[in-house]
Amino acid sequence: MTIKTLIAGAALALATTCALAQDKPVAVDRAAFDKLLADGYAKAPEDWRAKMVLDETQRVCTETRNRPANAQAAAIAEREGKDVKFPADGQFFGDIKAGLKVANTGTGSQFSDAPGTYVGGNCYACHQMDVKEVSYGTLGPSLTGYGKTRKDEASIRDTWKKIYNSQAVVPCSNMPRFGAKAILTEQQMKDVMAYLLSPDSPVNK
Ligand code: HEC
């Protein structure tokens, strides 16, 4: 067999698998999957490995393939909404420039990180923000101009809630729960709020 036919064969096999995966989800042996995952992170410290255990919300989202029934969705929103902590000092806005760093940095949260590695929010991986930034993902909606129409107290609180715990707003959201899972600090959330909502931010120019 030549290399070319090998590659063509592999491509065809891959295409078939993808088509099948889309049409009808293949049943996955849960225990085998959990073992595969655990083996893959065998070197990770114990506290980091705890992240591989699904919490109740992730379990429901996984089992329903992110399509929870209405009652399940309501239960998720209630559970995740309960622990949302608003800024103790009532100040929702930090520093715009520091907020850009939060939005545009994807490092951190890996078990192999050197101590003190900056942990970003990586918002740009999923969202367009400043229209002049050409590198952004589209898994989430564009947030360009987000602050132009959200100046009232209720909208500001809603945005904080979304960033703190996305599942409290949209059950089974693909967006990380930045506050609830202690990915970002309160100050970082304030900074990214300023970047997202302030009229002086490039996001709203
Ligand atoms: C892994 C992808 C991902 C990342 C990273 C991410 N988001 Fe999201 N975000 C989404 C998705 C998907 C939605 C739409 C569904 C939903 O609301 O949960 C969303 C929705 C939002 C919304 C609500 C938009 C609306 O229509 O009102 C805001 C605000 C938001 N994200 C802000 C942020 C900020 C700020 C960050 C970084 C700190 C961030 N997101 C990081 C995926 C992501």
Side-chain angles (χ1 to χ4, degrees), residues 57-88:
T57 294
Q58 288 167 321
R59 187 187 62 75
V60 172
C61 295
T62 298
E63 287 173 3
T64 60
R65 300 183 76 82
N66 287 339
R67 287 193 205 93
N70 288 348
Q72 289 172 309
I76 291 174
E78 206 211 311
R79 179 169 54 243
E80 301 293 330
K82 263 196 290 211
D83 74 351
V84 175
K85 282 187 201 65
F86 291 93

Side-chain angles (χ1 to χ4, degrees), residues 102-103 121-123 125-127 129 139-141 143 146 150 159 162-163 166 170 173-176 178 184 192 196:
V102 173
N122 215 8
C123 318
C126 297
H127 296 287
M129 298 179 95
L139 185 63
L143 301 176
Y146 200 74
R150 293 172 180 82
T159 306
K162 178 73 196 168
I163 296 170
S166 61
V170 177
S173 168
N174 283 317
M175 180 166 146
F178 291 106
L184 297 179
V192 87
L196 190 59

